[in-house]
Amino acid sequence: MKDSLHDITRKAVLQILAQGERPTWRRVRDIIGSGSAGDITRRVGDVMTELAERQVHGDYPEEVQAAFFEMWRTVKTINAREFEERQAQALERVSEANAARDGYRDQLHDCQRELTLKTNQLTELSTALHALRTAEAENQRAQRLLEEQLTRAETNLLEERVKREAAVALQQSEAARYQQIIAESAQASEARISGLETTLKSEQHRYNVDTAKLHVKVDEARQEAKQERKAHEKDSAASAKVIGTLREQLAHAKAGEAKLQGRLETLEAQLGKAQEKRSAAEDARASLNEQNNQLRTQLEAEATARQAAEKQLEGERQRAQALENSLKAAQAAERHHSRKPKD
């Protein structure tokens, strides 16, 4: 296959030389119809070298050799100019390559600076990520501690609530018992007061009756004395005895009146004490009601404190979620920056 291409190329070169033109790779490819610039240039060079060697060894007639020698000088001149042009082009390309190299070097420096910047940013992100992870760990520990504290607080609150409910139930039971005792005592006091009032009225009525009877007896005695004094003029000793008897009866009546008066005062004093006891019982009932209201207010305050603690726990959970989201975003940024220098 190589000999066939070589022969085709040689024929094309000879044809171009016979036309007095320079066998460039484009002219050769126009004749043979295919081939890359590098392959055609290499084969044209081989053909020209072969023709030069044959010309040196005299393989062609003199006329051909003279014509070929003239063509060879022309080609050589052309090749020299082409070499100079190519050399100038090569130098220009070298200059462009040097400029491109300098540009690439600048770009490399820029990339190195950017890589250093990205590395520093990656280091900062790693540090921030480590700080976030540390903060997250601290937050998790704080959250666990807060949850433990909240659990203990809820347990204590529940125990305290049970104790307070038991205390409230006990106080309510005691209050009910006291109220029952007070009610029974009030009923007994009212019954006693009613009895004392009835007794007082009875004693007063009897005192009035006895006093009226006594006054009647005295009046009768006076009438009898008058009648006896008028009817009979008895001796003064009998009259004095009757008068003494009457005076003694009057003294007994006054003593009975004083005794009744003292009993009446005693009953009134007992009535005042009973009224004081009833007032004290009413004050005790009011105090128990106030204690019940205070316990109810305290239980409501504890319920409010518990709700506030639950809200605080919810806020801490939201903060933990926000830190976790920040951590995920930092990890995503770290992965993005770690891939970008490789691209």
Side-chain angles (χ1 to χ4, degrees):
M1 184 68 180
K2 182 179 179 181
D3 293 338
S4 178
L5 291 174
H6 181 75
D7 293 339
I8 293 172
T9 304
R10 181 175 56 189
K11 290 178 180 179
V13 169
L14 291 175
Q15 181 180 350
I16 294 169
L17 290 174
Q19 295 174 358
E21 296 179 355
R22 184 167 61 90
T24 62
W25 68 271
R26 286 190 177 87
R27 291 175 179 173
V28 172
R29 189 175 66 178
D30 291 340
I31 294 173
I32 64 179
S34 64
S36 64
D39 291 339
I40 294 174
T41 301
R42 178 176 52 78
R43 289 198 298 270
V44 169
D46 293 340
V47 170
M48 295 300 292
T49 302
E50 180 183 355
L51 292 176
E53 289 177 353
R54 292 182 66 180
Q55 193 273 336
V56 170
H57 291 89
D59 291 340
Y60 294 103
E62 292 182 0
E63 294 82 3
V64 176
Q65 290 181 5
F68 179 77
F69 180 73
E70 187 66 28
M71 290 180 185
W72 176 252
R73 285 195 306 174
T74 303
V75 169
K76 187 175 180 181
T77 303
I78 294 172
N79 286 336
R81 288 199 304 270
E82 183 177 1
F83 174 76
E84 291 176 357
E85 291 176 357
R86 290 186 178 182
Q87 184 178 12
Q89 292 177 357
L91 291 175
E92 184 177 359
R93 290 179 181 176
V94 168
S95 177
E96 291 176 355
N98 290 331
R101 182 191 60 187
D102 294 336
Y104 291 147
R105 185 177 296 170
D106 294 337
Q107 291 179 1
L108 178 62
H109 290 328
D110 293 338
C111 290
Q112 289 177 348
R113 284 195 298 270
E114 185 176 0
L115 179 61
T116 303
L117 180 61
K118 297 298 183 182
T119 303
N120 294 332
Q121 291 178 353
L122 182 60
T123 303
E124 293 176 357
L125 287 173
S126 299
T127 304
L129 180 61
H130 178 69
L132 284 174
R133 288 176 177 172
T134 304
E136 183 186 12
E138 292 293 333
N139 185 66
Q140 290 178 353
R141 285 195 293 270
Q143 184 176 358
R144 288 195 298 269
L145 179 61
L146 182 60
E147 289 177 351
E148 292 175 359
Q149 292 177 353
L150 182 60
T151 303
R152 289 196 297 269
E154 289 177 349
T155 304
N156 295 332
L157 182 61
L158 182 60
E159 293 177 354
E160 188 67 21
R161 177 180 292 177
V162 172
K163 291 180 181 178
R164 291 191 179 278
E165 288 178 353
V168 169
L170 180 60
Q171 288 185 358
Q172 289 177 352
S173 177
E174 292 292 331
R177 189 170 65 86
Y178 287 154
Q179 289 176 356
Q180 184 178 1
I181 293 173
I182 290 170
E184 293 175 354
S185 177
Q187 291 177 357
S189 298
E190 289 177 357
R192 188 176 179 185
I193 290 170
S194 179
L196 289 173
E197 289 176 349
T198 303
T199 303
L200 179 60
K201 289 178 181 180
S202 178
E203 291 293 334
Q204 189 173 4
H205 177 68
R206 191 174 64 177
Y207 169 75
N208 292 331
V209 172
D210 291 340
T211 302
K213 289 181 179 181
L214 183 60
H215 284 301
V216 171
K217 288 181 180 180
V218 172
D219 291 336
E220 290 177 353
R222 285 177 181 175
Q223 292 296 329
E224 289 176 358
K226 287 180 181 180
Q227 290 176 1
E228 288 178 0
R229 190 170 52 249
K230 291 180 180 180
H232 304 284
E233 291 284 342
K234 291 183 178 182
D235 56 6
S236 58
S239 298
K241 185 178 180 180
V242 173
I243 293 171
T245 300
L246 291 174
R247 286 179 177 174
E248 185 177 352
Q249 290 177 356
L250 182 61
H252 283 296
K254 289 183 178 180
E257 184 180 2
K259 185 178 181 180
L260 289 173
Q261 185 67 32
R263 190 173 180 181
L264 180 62
E265 292 176 356
T266 301
L267 289 174
E268 290 177 351
Q270 290 177 357
L271 179 61
K273 290 181 180 179
Q275 291 176 349
E276 289 179 357
K277 288 182 179 179
R278 182 167 63 183
S279 178
E282 291 177 354
D283 293 339
R285 182 183 299 172
S287 178
L288 287 174
N289 291 331
E290 185 178 357
Q291 289 179 1
N292 288 332
N293 292 330
Q294 289 178 355
L295 286 174
R296 189 179 296 106
T297 303
Q298 188 173 3
L299 288 175
E300 291 176 355
E302 289 176 355
T304 303
R306 181 181 179 183
Q307 291 177 357
E310 290 177 353
K311 288 182 180 179
Q312 184 178 2
L313 177 60
E314 185 63 24
E316 292 296 331
R317 287 174 179 170
Q318 291 178 358
R319 287 178 55 196
Q321 185 65 34
L323 287 175
E324 184 178 358
N325 294 333
S326 299
L327 179 61
K328 290 180 179 179
Q331 290 175 349
E334 181 183 5
R335 289 193 296 269
H336 176 72
H337 287 289
S338 64
R339 289 195 304 268
K340 189 173 181 180
K342 293 180 181 180
D343 295 338

